[in-house]
Amino acid sequence: MIVDPKLPGLTLRGNITYSEAVDLETNVLQSFTYWEKRDEFIGYLLQHRQEIEATVSSYLRLQGAERCRLSSPEDWIHGSFNLCLPVYIDNWRRRSGGQVIIRFPLPFKVGDSNYPGNSEEKLRCEAATYAWIRENCPDVPIPYLWGFAFAGGGECAQGCSFIALENASLVVRFFENFRRRICSLLGRAVPCQYIPLRLPYNLQVGHLVIDYIEENNGKMLSETWEEHRHDKPHRTNLFRDLSRIILSLGRIHLPRIGSFTMDNKGVLALTNRPLTLQLHQLENEGIPTNIARDTTYVTTDAYFLDILACHSNRLVYQPNAVNNEEDCRAQMAVLTAFRAVFPHFVRRDLRRGPFLFTLTDLHQSNIFVDDDWNIKYLIDLEWACSLPMEMQHPPYWLTSQSVDHLWGEGLKLFEEKYEEFLEIFADEEGQSLLRTHTMRKGWEDKNFFYFLALDSITGLYSLFLQHIQPKFADHILDDHFERILSPYWRTESEQFVASKIQEKSAYDARLKAEFKMEADN
């Protein structure tokens, strides 16, 4: 894909054509603003190079000739929601030739302009996840977290930063350990193993500082996925390690559905909404989720219905959510039917738990492995949350197919890999097999696809038609289905359809204006 700022259709992944933009199911107009916003963000970080280097130095407690050097922008790593800056450590006595990563969230990708504080929410949840896993699941391989900071504003008026307790001075460690014992004896909340630094933090965005994963310590699974995914020994190693990680994270049953967050004293609490990337993606496009940051759930149905309402809000608020009148009615009908069949896929015996800690963004680029596909590290933990046990299943990408291509021969192939994963998972789970049986029943009852659809912003429609509707009726989506069912999605449905057609026309006009040279041709 070319990258030319002089041409229309410039996104962070390069230029796209008018015909490509028309086919996208997301609001592509917003993505055209990202390039300029990213350049501004990079410029802001470069202006604060010295502050960044000083902050990292304080986390690592560098002394004497030890020095931090921020890498040049061409070496920065651009992710979907984060910007990662390698920091080189000269004369580092603790680790020769070492480097670390300072990781900033991209405010313009997580909804900060529409919902100020989203990037702060993301950071607090991710820092809390690192701390919780380190304290409760030390066998789960994650990079070492040296320190982190929350930006000023709101609760943290002047900004605050944290360092790992074990890297603090001897006096500080003694005092903090004594203070933690007193808190425990008095029944007060005990802070995690990260303590506030008595240094000001003045940047407008917070960060995490983690170990840089050297190539000899592991490579992204995505780099060798296509080469080895048909090799059973490689898959066995991967599936076994994934099973152990999933089981370890779920060993502690949690009291509610939500995400861990951290306050300014370093105390962890399961009091944040269950933060998945879908929520921030919707809010980034100005689509309300109506799930406040302090919302947690003690029953599964309350959570599922709120997520289903997010899908309805996408249809309401996204300007290009429908293609035409027929498509609008079809989506309304599917959302109505999806809500109607809800009781058939949600187990009442699991309504109040168990709730298990889950990594919801576990894809091939977030897993680092050795040459034999033994897992060495998991990265990008910001979308981890406590979820119902029945939502836990093997990853959908086991056969390299997108969610809307799991049908026909592709479905048979996926089922084989699903069963292969379950056999290894059962072997690791041991005598109980509760979670293995839950996953197997989920496949048999099709709730695997129901929850997969619930998690997919753009995939719910096709997944319903391919896997859920056939469980109840053998007819395909037709005019009668749309005409009869769509009015029950909301009141004044005819007016809604008319308004969506007008919105789509206005969106198409703006898109053509963006591609004026190409559209005129």
Side-chain angles (χ1 to χ4, degrees), residues 8 33 46 308 455 480 495:
T33 68
L46 287 173
L308 183 54
D455 278 340
H480 296 294
Q495 294 91 322

Side-chain angles (χ1 to χ4, degrees), residues 457-473:
I457 293 176
T458 57
L460 183 146
Y461 180 83
S462 59
L463 286 169
F464 176 85
L465 297 182
Q466 292 170 1
H467 302 286
I468 299 171
Q469 187 185 31
K471 184 177 174 70
F472 299 91

Side-chain angles (χ1 to χ4, degrees), residues 273-289:
R273 62 180 174 174
L275 185 61
T276 61
L277 67 88
Q278 288 84 357
L279 293 186
H280 272 184
Q281 280 182 317
L282 289 171
E283 292 175 345
N284 196 54
E285 293 191 15
I287 300 172
T289 61

Side-chain angles (χ1 to χ4, degrees), residues 45-68:
L45 295 179
L46 287 173
Q47 289 174 5
H48 294 82
R49 173 189 291 269
Q50 291 184 344
E51 292 99 316
I52 293 172
E53 292 174 342
T55 299
V56 175
S57 295
S58 66
Y59 295 155
L60 275 54
R61 298 191 68 214
L62 301 184
Q63 299 176 349
E66 296 175 317
R67 292 287 185 275
C68 277

Side-chain angles (χ1 to χ4, degrees), residues 11 16 19 24 34 78 93 105 108 155 162 166 171 208 276 328 333 338 347 366 393 397 405 411 430 447 451 495:
T11 73
I16 62 173
S19 58
L24 291 176
Y34 292 158
H78 299 269
R93 292 188 293 271
F108 57 88
E155 180 191 354
F162 292 77
E166 62 189 350
V171 173
L208 303 175
T276 61
C328 184
F338 199 89
R347 290 175 52 178
N366 286 344
H393 289 280
W397 42 259
H405 283 81
L411 180 60
N447 77 3
F451 294 133
Q495 294 91 322

Side-chain angles (χ1 to χ4, degrees), residues 235-361:
R235 288 200 312 272
T236 298
N237 290 338
L238 176 67
F239 291 178
R240 192 169 301 283
D241 280 356
L242 278 176
S243 298
R244 290 170 177 170
I245 289 168
I246 294 171
L247 287 165
S248 178
L249 291 172
R251 192 174 296 124
I252 299 175
H253 291 184
L254 298 171
R256 64 186 65 89
I257 298 169
S259 290
F260 284 103
T261 188
M262 182 185 297
D263 66 14
N264 294 336
K265 297 178 181 179
V267 175
L268 306 183
L270 188 61
T271 55
N272 200 89
R273 62 180 174 174
L275 185 61
T276 61
L277 67 88
Q278 288 84 357
L279 293 186
H280 272 184
Q281 280 182 317
L282 289 171
E283 292 175 345
N284 196 54
E285 293 191 15
I287 300 172
T289 61
N290 298 325
I291 302 177
R293 293 190 187 118
D294 61 355
T295 299
T296 58
Y297 305 86
V298 295
T299 61
T300 59
D301 49 0
Y303 173 62
F304 295 146
L305 290 174
D306 270 4
I307 297 301
L308 183 54
C310 291
H311 286 271
S312 293
N313 283 353
R314 173 185 174 269
L315 182 56
V316 173
Y317 290 97
Q318 184 176 313
N320 64 324
V322 306
N323 296 320
N324 49 47
E325 180 178 344
E326 180 183 355
D327 179 50
C328 184
R329 294 186 190 280
Q331 291 192 53
M332 292 164 64
V334 164
L335 285 170
T336 304
F338 199 89
R339 185 167 52 200
V341 302
F342 168 83
H344 296 278
F345 295 97
V346 179
R347 290 175 52 178
R348 290 194 61 81
D349 60 315
L350 299 177
R351 185 171 180 265
R352 297 187 180 275
F355 306 129
L356 310 178
F357 201 60
T358 306
L359 302 178
T360 66
D361 193 31

Side-chain angles (χ1 to χ4, degrees), residues 336-402:
T336 304
F338 199 89
R339 185 167 52 200
V341 302
F342 168 83
H344 296 278
F345 295 97
V346 179
R347 290 175 52 178
R348 290 194 61 81
D349 60 315
L350 299 177
R351 185 171 180 265
R352 297 187 180 275
F355 306 129
L356 310 178
F357 201 60
T358 306
L359 302 178
T360 66
D361 193 31
L362 199 61
H363 57 75
Q364 296 101 317
S365 294
N366 286 344
I367 302 172
F368 280 70
V369 296
D370 62 15
D371 292 338
D372 298 318
W373 279 17
N374 298 297
I375 296 179
K376 307 300 290 184
Y377 293 100
L378 302 178
I379 64 170
D380 292 359
L381 310 180
E382 65 260 59
W383 313 118
C385 43
S386 168
L387 291 176
M389 181 170 66
E390 55 192 319
M391 292 190 75
Q392 288 200 338
H393 289 280
Y396 73 85
W397 42 259
L398 296 182
T399 55
S400 290
Q401 298 174 103
S402 61

